[in-house]
Amino acid sequence: MTDYRSLNRASWDERAPAHAASPDYAVERFVADPDHLSDVVRFDLPRLGGIAGLRAVHLQCHIGTDTLSLHRLGARMTGLDFSGASLAEARSLAARTGAGIDFVESDVYAAPDVLGRGAFDLVYTGVGALCWLPDIRRWAEVVAALLRPGGRLFLREGHPMLWALDDSRDDGLLAVEHPYFARPEPQVWTEGGTYVATDVTFQHNVTHEWNHGIGETVTALLDAGLDLTMLVEHDSAPWDALPGRTVRDGQGEWRLADRPWRLSQTYTLQARKRG
């Protein structure tokens, strides 16, 4: 069987420089403006609360713009990702902005062995991370292992209902085509583009992904020793998930142009480790 990590890593390695060069990630604005935060983290602020002084880890941090934003809010940040090319861009951004952030290359499932158990006050995971992981229960155990007792998880993620939709339709219908619940076998995608503006032509275009239902994710966290403290669904996403059917608002979020209340596109979940 083809190793999903190798396929997915090749895709991310190739796309990382294009993402860093794209205006959608606003790397140059981070360099020019020491107060700039990513659109994702600015959306999170009302629910994230104060994090100054917390030791925090951003799992699957990609090129580090959200990691840097959390650093600018006062957290002592570590970023972890399995893509060396992504981390090269993240380290470059941190160096250009004078940010003291540790970036570690590792598969997310190995994070407790690499970073230390019970070492963090906050585990942060951003949008579009969980779909790359085949085992949500193992991920929840990683989160629990990283957190100190009383530490919390902050997760904003694409809603599994959104991932289950057919995004290729041009008739305006919201049609369920893909799995909502986790399946042992991955969804195999062959897509030459990416989610940001770029004119780069990519060669590594096959990826393996998995959906994880809300109930599956919550139950995995409960079983791993965390208590749920927040679950909020949002009718928007920070990328154009359904092209041709969405409009962008002033926060950089995309929602359905027609009756956006029909679909939750993302959700925010927070949980605290018992003890």
Side-chain angles (χ1 to χ4, degrees):
M1 179 180 293
T2 302
D3 179 17
Y4 74 91
R5 294 179 186 86
S6 297
L7 282 174
N8 292 347
R9 185 184 296 113
S11 173
W12 285 107
D13 281 350
E14 187 176 26
R15 283 158 175 76
H19 288 180
S22 172
D24 292 327
Y25 269 100
V27 165
E28 295 306 320
R29 185 171 178 189
F30 277 101
V31 176
D33 181 0
D35 295 321
H36 179 66
L37 303 177
S38 68
D39 288 344
V40 168
V41 170
R42 280 193 287 107
F43 183 93
D44 291 338
L45 282 175
R47 288 158 290 279
L48 181 62
I51 61 171
L54 297 185
R55 187 176 181 199
V57 58
H58 180 188
L59 298 181
Q60 298 166 271
C61 67
H62 191 37
I63 66 170
T65 51
D66 295 339
T67 323
L68 174 58
S69 298
L70 297 170
H71 166 82
R72 288 180 168 180
L73 293 174
R76 294 176 290 145
M77 291 303 304
T78 297
L80 180 139
D81 202 276
F82 77 154
S83 165
S86 295
L87 291 179
E89 300 294 345
R91 292 182 181 118
S92 173
L93 176 60
R96 293 179 68 195
T97 57
I101 302 172
D102 294 325
F103 287 104
V104 178
E105 183 175 343
S106 172
D107 181 81
V108 69
Y109 289 138
D113 296 327
V114 173
L115 301 178
R117 297 172 182 271
F120 294 95
D121 304 300
L122 174 69
V123 170
Y124 178 94
T125 297
V127 179
L130 298 188
C131 63
W132 304 100
L133 303 177
D135 188 340
I136 197 67
R137 298 186 69 83
R138 189 177 174 193
W139 167 83
E141 291 165 0
V142 165
V143 171
L146 290 169
L147 286 171
R148 64 165 178 78
R152 64 170 164 142
L153 164 71
F154 186 99
L155 166 70
R156 187 185 178 208
E157 184 52 281
H159 200 287
M161 194 67 245
L162 176 64
W163 299 132
L165 295 180
D166 182 352
D167 63 358
S168 66
R169 298 180 72 98
D170 58 8
D171 57 8
L173 293 178
L174 301 178
V176 177
E177 175 64 23
H178 309 296
Y180 174 91
F181 299 106
R183 304 289 297 162
E185 65 279 3
Q187 292 287 108
V188 179
W189 302 101
T190 303
E191 297 180 340
T194 187
Y195 53 85
V196 299
T198 180
D199 57 5
V200 176
T201 300
F202 301 108
Q203 303 300 317
H204 296 284
N205 299 323
V206 178
T207 59
H208 287 185
E209 301 176 34
W210 292 262
N211 205 1
H212 304 288
I214 293 285
E216 294 169 330
T217 302
V218 169
T219 300
L221 290 167
L222 293 174
D223 289 348
L226 283 79
D227 291 324
L228 190 70
T229 59
M230 176 185 289
L231 181 58
V232 181
E233 295 175 294
H234 312 288
D235 68 358
S236 66
W239 82 102
D240 189 2
L242 298 168
R245 286 175 275 181
T246 57
V247 292
R248 197 173 193 183
D249 65 18
Q251 280 190 291
E253 293 277 309
W254 298 82
R255 52 178 44 84
L256 290 174
D258 177 26
R259 294 168 291 159
W261 53 86
R262 291 182 293 159
L263 177 67
S264 175
Q265 295 198 52
T266 56
Y267 67 95
T268 298
L269 181 154
Q270 294 201 62
R272 195 169 296 276
K273 185 175 177 178
R274 296 179 203 130

